Amino acid sequence: MIKIGYRTLKTAIGVAIAIYIAQILNLHSFASAGIITILCVQVTKKKSIKAAFSRLIACLIAMLYSTIFFEGIGFNPAVIGLMLLVFIPTVVAANVKEGIVTSSVIILHIYSAGHVTLNLLLNEIALLVVGMTVALIINMYMPSMEAELKKYQQNIEKNFSFIFQKMALYIRTNESNWDGKEIMVVYDMITEAKSLAFRDVENHVTRHDDLYYYYFKMREKQFEIIERLFPLVASIPSTSPYSHLIADFIDDLSLHIHPYNTSHIYLKKLEDMLGQIHAMDLPKTREEFDVQVAMMGTIKELEKYLILKSVYKGFSREKEGMKKKVLA
């Protein structure tokens, strides 16, 4: 079954409207308005605006060069090649290389006309205006990504919780039958969520709404810390003094991976736990020393994990529909 995407539907409608308007205005080569619309309909609002601006500047440069080269040298294929040798580096230098294809259409229109007149140039400008305007108007509405972003947020938190539970269980028993598949699942989720959140940012032209994007960036950094925790907890034997404290802490943390301001509570608990470990007797063997280092390292990594969340600016109360910010 063929699936028609939202962007495809918008493009098809936009092309039809652009060509229809160009025909009503009696523009020559009216079908080109549809081509311009296709090229300007992008995946986000900001990209559409940038594409339209780039094509407009590139096409104006093309008209200027066409007038100079065709009227100054002549209308023949060699002149087109010569002009492109100058034109393409110019638009690249102007940082509007996205407009090369559209500009080439304009150049060929002028070449086919066999002469450059004011009416011809005005016709080409009108085609640009019609195609770009239609593309920008139909691209002003983008479907909300809020529900999908929220789902990614919840699934990532759920998997973080599961991973921490498995980590705590291993510290208590030094045994595990976990295959670790959630590690790759979380990695893929964060990558996809960041991409989607960035698209959401690009769809907000007049305001910044990057909270989800920074949320997933924060979770990405936390995930890196989680990966560093594995070799540390693997070095903590279940019989070691205070190992149960670390396991209990991680278990408790796994139950509170949510959008609430609780980081300060867990940072205080870590500080207290670190004090208890510092009060331990000095290790008498190399094995005891390695275990104490692993416990200290685990606490330090957990502290970094919590600090990342505590400095995250969080969602507004309106966005979450809650009276608490996302800080934990």
Side-chain angles (χ1 to χ4, degrees):
M1 183 177 178
I2 298 176
K3 183 179 180 181
I4 299 176
Y6 183 75
R7 184 184 170 195
T8 301
L9 180 62
K10 288 199 303 183
T11 302
I13 295 172
V15 168
I17 293 173
I19 293 176
Y20 177 68
I21 294 174
Q23 282 183 298
I24 290 178
L25 296 175
N26 292 320
L27 299 178
H28 295 291
S29 304
F30 53 79
S32 296
I35 296 174
I36 294 168
T37 298
I38 292 174
L39 294 172
C40 290
V41 174
Q42 301 291 317
V43 293
T44 67
K45 293 179 184 178
K46 286 185 179 179
K47 286 185 177 179
S48 286
I49 293 172
K50 184 178 185 300
F53 176 78
S54 297
R55 284 167 174 77
L56 177 61
I57 298 301
C59 288
L60 292 176
I61 295 173
M63 292 179 199
L64 175 63
Y65 278 23
S66 296
T67 302
I68 295 172
F69 278 82
F70 290 145
E71 291 296 331
I73 302 176
F75 286 81
N76 62 71
V79 175
I80 294 178
L82 178 63
M83 183 175 63
L84 289 177
L85 289 176
V86 180
F87 170 72
I88 293 176
T90 301
V91 295
V92 171
N95 197 28
V96 290
K97 61 183 179 180
E98 296 90 345
I100 290 176
V101 175
T102 311
S103 302
S104 299
V105 174
I106 300 296
I107 291 170
L108 294 177
H109 282 175
I110 296 173
Y111 176 78
S112 299
H115 56 282
V116 180
T117 65
L118 179 60
N119 286 337
L120 175 62
L121 296 179
L122 290 175
N123 182 83
E124 299 304 313
I125 292 174
L127 289 173
L128 286 170
V129 171
V130 170
M132 292 177 183
T133 302
V134 171
L136 291 176
I137 290 174
I138 67 171
N139 229 31
M140 279 300 100
Y141 174 75
M142 290 288 183
S144 175
M145 299 178 184
E146 179 81 17
E148 195 170 355
L149 289 168
K150 186 70 176 178
K151 185 176 180 181
Y152 270 114
Q153 175 189 335
Q154 292 171 343
N155 286 336
I156 289 171
E157 291 174 355
K158 179 180 177 181
N159 279 276
F160 268 35
S161 178
F162 180 84
I163 291 170
F164 275 134
Q165 288 171 14
K166 291 298 183 181
M167 198 178 289
L169 179 62
Y170 182 83
I171 294 175
R172 287 195 179 95
T173 65
N174 287 156
E175 295 179 1
S176 176
N177 58 0
W178 178 43
D179 59 10
K181 68 178 182 180
E182 283 75 14
I183 297 295
M184 289 307 301
V185 169
V186 171
Y187 176 82
D188 290 340
M189 278 185 183
I190 292 175
T191 302
E192 293 166 7
K194 276 175 55 187
S195 177
L196 185 65
F198 184 75
R199 281 176 55 193
D200 189 51
V201 172
E202 290 279 289
N203 279 329
H204 297 138
V205 180
T206 59
R207 64 188 175 92
H208 294 289
D209 196 3
D210 52 8
L211 297 177
Y212 272 112
Y213 179 75
Y214 284 111
Y215 169 83
F216 294 123
K217 283 285 291 182
M218 177 271 300
R219 288 300 186 195
E220 181 180 47
K221 292 178 181 178
Q222 285 186 321
F223 182 63
E224 293 172 0
I225 292 174
I226 290 174
E227 289 183 306
R228 295 201 299 267
L229 279 170
F230 283 111
L232 290 171
V233 300
S235 301
I236 302 175
S238 58
T239 56
S240 174
Y242 300 108
S243 62
H244 66 283
L245 290 178
I246 297 177
D248 289 344
F249 178 87
I250 294 176
D251 242 345
D252 190 18
L253 187 62
S254 74
L255 299 175
H256 297 86
I257 299 177
H258 48 49
Y260 303 111
N261 186 8
T262 54
S263 292
H264 63 286
I265 297 174
Y266 288 93
L267 284 169
K268 180 63 171 63
K269 288 182 178 181
L270 274 181
E271 184 181 349
D272 294 341
M273 193 189 310
L274 191 60
Q276 293 183 56
I277 293 176
H278 275 306
M280 290 173 58
D281 294 334
L282 292 175
K284 298 180 176 59
T285 66
R286 177 55 185 267
E287 182 180 0
E288 290 179 356
F289 175 79
D290 289 341
V291 170
Q292 193 163 342
V293 167
M295 286 193 293
M296 296 283 288
T298 299
I299 291 173
K300 286 297 183 183
E301 291 296 342
L302 288 170
E303 182 182 38
K304 293 175 186 176
Y305 172 93
L306 291 167
I307 289 174
L308 278 172
K309 198 65 165 78
S310 68
V311 298
Y312 171 64
K313 64 182 179 180
F315 295 118
S316 67
R317 295 178 181 179
E318 290 79 9
K319 177 172 280 295
E320 281 296 300
M322 301 174 182
K323 292 185 177 180
K324 296 181 179 180
K325 292 186 177 181
V326 178
L327 292 174

